[in-house]
Amino acid sequence: MGKNSSEGSNKTWIWIICAIVVIVIVAIFLIKGCGNKEYEIKFNSNGSIVNKVTVKEDGTVTRPSNPTRDGYEFAGWYLNGELFDFNTKITGDITLEARWNEIGEEESKITLGSTKMTLNLNDTEKLSVTASGTASTSGLVWKSSDEKVVSVDSNGNLKALKEGKATITVTTKDGKYSAECVVTVSKKEETTSLKITISGNKTVKVGETITLKANVTPKDAKVVWTSNNNKIATVDENGKVTGVSAGTVTIKGTITDEKGNNKSASVKVTVSKASEPTVKPEQEPQKDPEPTKDPEQTNPGTTPEPEKKTYTVTFNSDGGSSVDAIPVEEGKTVSEPKAPTREGYTFEGWYLGETKYDFNKPVTGDITLTAKWNEVKPVYKIVLTEEKINGRGTGRYNFDVYKDNTKLSTDEYKIFAIDGHEHNSKAGNIAIEDYITEQSAGYIKTSNGKFDAIIEIN
C-alpha cells in the first residue's frame, strides 16, 4: 500500500514539473515573438521610385538614396508636415512624404510700394501692391492698426486723419501672404521759410546777356532757372539771360527743400533788336508821344507766346539715396535722373502709382515718382575642406564659409543644421556623422539669424 502511494506522489510531481517546463517554453516564445515585431516604412516620393522597407520595433530606418524629379530639387522626407529624423525609433507603420523645391521657382509673396511713409494731416496717398510666385493681388484685404490716425479703403487708398502712427497691413484673399507699411501723420509744415525774389536789369539786346540775381531763404537753396520761350531768350543755371530774338519772355527761378516743397518767383525780360535802342519795360519811348505801351508790345512785329506753367516732379526713393526734385515746363518731358542706390537692393525703375513711368510723356502737373526695388539675397556657401579621422573610425570636416564668394570668419558664422539634424558645431569643424553629402542642405547661423547655404566638398 505504501509503495503504491509513493509511486502516485512521484507521478504527480512529474506532471507538475512538465507543466512548468511547458509554461516557461511558451513564455519564451511569446517574449521572442513580441520582441521581433516588425513595421513597414513606405516612401511616397512623387518622383523616382523608393522601395518600402521593414524595421523591427524600436529600431531606426536607414535613410534611402535621395529620389530625383525633373525640374525639381529634393528638400527632404517629411512625416505629418515635419522633417523626419532618421534617428527616431520606429513604433508603428509610417509613410514618409518627399518635399520638392521647383528649380528657379520665384518666392511667393506680396510687396507694398513703400514700407514706411510720412503724411501731412488730411493728405491722401495710394499704396501699390505687387505679387510674385503663387501669390495674387486679387481680393486683397486692407487693415489699419488705428483707423482714427490713418484710414484705408479696399483699394489701398490712405487718408491721414490725426497726428500719430498707424501700421497698414494688406493680406491676400487666402490669408497666406501679407505686407505692412508704417505711416506717420504730422501737422503740415508751413513753407513760408522758403523765400525767393529776383532782381537785376530786365532788358537785353539780341546777342547780348544780362544776369539776374535771386535772393533766397535759406541762403544755400539751389535756384533752378527756366525761360518760357527759348526762341526769344535763354537762361543758364546761374541766371544769365541771353537775347535770341526780339520779344518778351518770362524768366522763372524755383527753389525746393528736402521735403519737396517749392517756391518760385518770375520776372518779364524784354529783348530788343541789336540796331534799336533798348526800351525799358513800362516806360514811354523818348521818340514816341503815345502813352506807355505794354512791355510785351514793344516789338509790334512779334506776337508773344502765352506764359507756360512750370510743374515740379518729385522723386521718392523709398529708402534709397536722395534724388532732387526737377521743375519742368508744362507740356515738356522730364529727364530721367541718375538711378538711386540702396544697399541690398537693385533699382527697378520709377513708378507713378502702380505703373512704371514713361519719361517720354509730357508733364501736365505736379507729380511724385516712387522708386521700386528688388531685394538681392546673398548666396551663402559652406565649403568642406580637410577631413580628419579619429580612432573610432569617425571623423570631422574642417570648413570655410563664403558670402557671395567672399570668405567670412567662422567665429561669427557657424553651421546650425545639416539635413535637419541640428547641432552646435565648433567654428570651422563639423562631424561627418551629421549626414554630410554633396546634396546636403545646410544653414548658417549668425547673430542676425539663420541663412540657407549650399554645401560643397572640396
Side-chain angles (χ1 to χ4, degrees):
M1 182 77 177
K3 183 178 180 181
N4 290 335
S5 175
S6 175
E7 288 177 354
S9 177
N10 288 337
K11 288 180 178 179
T12 301
W13 280 106
I14 290 172
W15 282 111
I16 292 172
I17 291 171
C18 288
I20 292 173
V21 170
V22 170
I23 291 171
V24 170
I25 292 172
V26 171
I28 290 173
F29 275 106
L30 288 174
I31 292 171
K32 281 192 172 183
C34 292
N36 288 331
K37 190 171 183 180
E38 292 184 341
Y39 295 107
E40 189 173 73
I41 314 300
K42 295 180 180 179
F43 298 91
N44 183 4
S45 71
N46 197 25
S48 58
I49 296 174
V50 179
N51 295 323
K52 65 182 179 181
V53 297
T54 56
V55 178
K56 290 183 179 180
E57 186 175 28
D58 291 330
T60 58
V61 61
T62 301
R63 181 195 298 269
S65 298
N66 291 341
T68 58
R69 182 181 176 189
D70 289 342
Y72 289 82
E73 183 180 22
F74 179 65
W77 293 106
Y78 282 73
L79 179 64
N80 299 325
E82 300 288 337
L83 185 66
F84 183 71
D85 183 355
F86 282 87
N87 292 318
T88 302
K89 292 183 178 180
I90 302 301
T91 59
D93 296 335
I94 59 173
T95 299
L96 299 180
E97 300 279 345
R99 288 279 181 89
W100 302 90
N101 291 326
E102 188 172 358
I103 296 175
E105 181 180 14
E106 186 178 13
E107 181 185 3
S108 295
K109 63 178 180 178
I110 57 174
T111 305
L112 285 171
S114 298
T115 56
K116 60 180 179 179
M117 66 171 58
T118 299
L119 298 177
N120 291 323
L121 201 58
N122 299 319
D123 276 357
T124 58
E125 186 63 75
K126 180 178 175 64
L127 283 174
S128 60
V129 186
T130 55
S132 59
T134 59
S136 171
T137 57
S138 176
L140 293 173
V141 179
W142 294 86
K143 183 180 179 181
S144 170
S145 64
D146 193 338
E147 288 282 350
K148 294 180 180 179
V149 175
V150 181
S151 65
V152 59
D153 65 13
S154 59
N155 296 313
N157 294 305
L158 310 180
K159 185 170 183 179
L161 303 174
K162 178 183 174 183
E163 285 185 80
K165 186 177 289 186
T167 299
I168 304 301
T169 304
V170 59
T171 306
T172 54
K173 187 177 181 179
D174 58 13
K176 290 183 178 180
Y177 311 102
S178 62
E180 293 182 347
C181 176
V182 178
V183 181
T184 302
V185 179
S186 59
K187 285 185 178 180
K188 190 171 184 179
E189 296 183 10
E190 299 295 333
T191 59
T192 53
S193 58
L194 286 177
K195 295 181 181 179
I196 179 171
T197 58
I198 299 174
S199 60
N201 188 9
K202 299 177 182 62
T203 59
V204 65
K205 292 182 179 181
V206 173
E208 297 183 0
T209 63
I210 57 171
T211 300
L212 298 175
K213 181 181 179 182
N215 304 299
V216 299
T217 301
K219 292 183 178 180
D220 59 350
K222 182 181 179 181
V223 181
V224 177
W225 296 93
T226 57
S227 167
N228 77 328
N229 194 337
N230 288 327
K231 293 180 180 180
I232 295 177
T234 60
V235 61
D236 68 11
E237 61 183 7
N238 298 313
K240 185 169 73 173
V241 180
T242 302
V244 178
S245 64
T248 302
V249 296
T250 298
I251 304 296
K252 180 185 285 188
T254 302
I255 57 176
T256 306
D257 64 17
E258 68 275 4
K259 294 183 179 180
N261 301 313
N262 59 73
K263 193 80 172 177
S264 300
S266 60
V267 293
K268 291 185 183 297
V269 174
T270 299
V271 181
S272 61
K273 293 182 179 180
S275 59
E276 296 178 355
T278 301
V279 180
K280 294 184 179 181
E282 301 181 2
Q283 178 179 332
E284 182 179 351
Q286 296 289 332
K287 62 180 180 179
D288 192 344
E290 295 180 1
T292 302
K293 295 183 180 181
D294 187 288
E296 296 185 2
Q297 300 300 322
T298 55
N299 185 4
T302 302
T303 302
E305 295 184 9
E307 181 179 351
K308 292 186 179 181
K309 295 181 180 179
T310 298
Y311 298 110
T312 301
V313 179
T314 305
F315 298 90
N316 176 10
S317 63
D318 191 22
S321 55
S322 62
V323 177
D324 293 337
I326 301 176
V328 181
E329 188 177 303
E330 181 181 23
K332 293 190 176 181
T333 60
V334 60
S335 298
E336 184 171 0
K338 183 180 178 182
T341 57
R342 183 179 177 187
E343 186 174 358
Y345 293 82
T346 57
F347 178 66
E348 184 176 320
W350 293 106
Y351 279 70
L352 182 60
E354 297 183 7
T355 305
K356 191 170 185 179
Y357 186 70
D358 181 2
F359 283 90
N360 293 318
K361 184 178 180 181
V363 176
T364 57
D366 294 333
I367 57 173
T368 297
L369 302 181
T370 302
K372 188 172 182 181
W373 303 93
N374 287 323
E375 186 175 1
V376 179
K377 293 185 177 180
V379 176
Y380 288 89
K381 182 168 63 177
I382 301 168
V383 179
L384 306 180
T385 54
E386 180 184 8
E387 181 184 5
K388 296 181 179 179
I389 305 297
N390 60 28
R392 298 193 304 274
T394 60
R396 307 184 76 85
Y397 277 103
N398 287 336
F399 69 89
D400 295 322
V401 178
Y402 291 84
K403 176 183 177 183
D404 290 333
N405 296 321
T406 300
K407 189 174 179 180
L408 306 175
S409 168
T410 50
D411 292 329
E412 298 178 16
Y413 293 82
K414 300 182 181 181
I415 291 182
F416 176 67
I418 303 294
D419 277 354
H421 298 272
E422 297 187 7
H423 64 94
N424 230 346
S425 70
K426 296 181 180 179
N429 196 276
I430 321 173
I432 61 173
E433 296 94 327
D434 288 318
Y435 302 95
I436 297 173
T437 68
E438 287 87 343
Q439 292 81 30
S440 293
Y443 299 111
I444 298 176
K445 188 176 183 181
T446 71
S447 59
N448 295 324
K450 184 176 73 174
F451 304 93
D452 292 330
I454 302 167
I455 293 184
E456 293 183 357
I457 297 180
N458 243 353

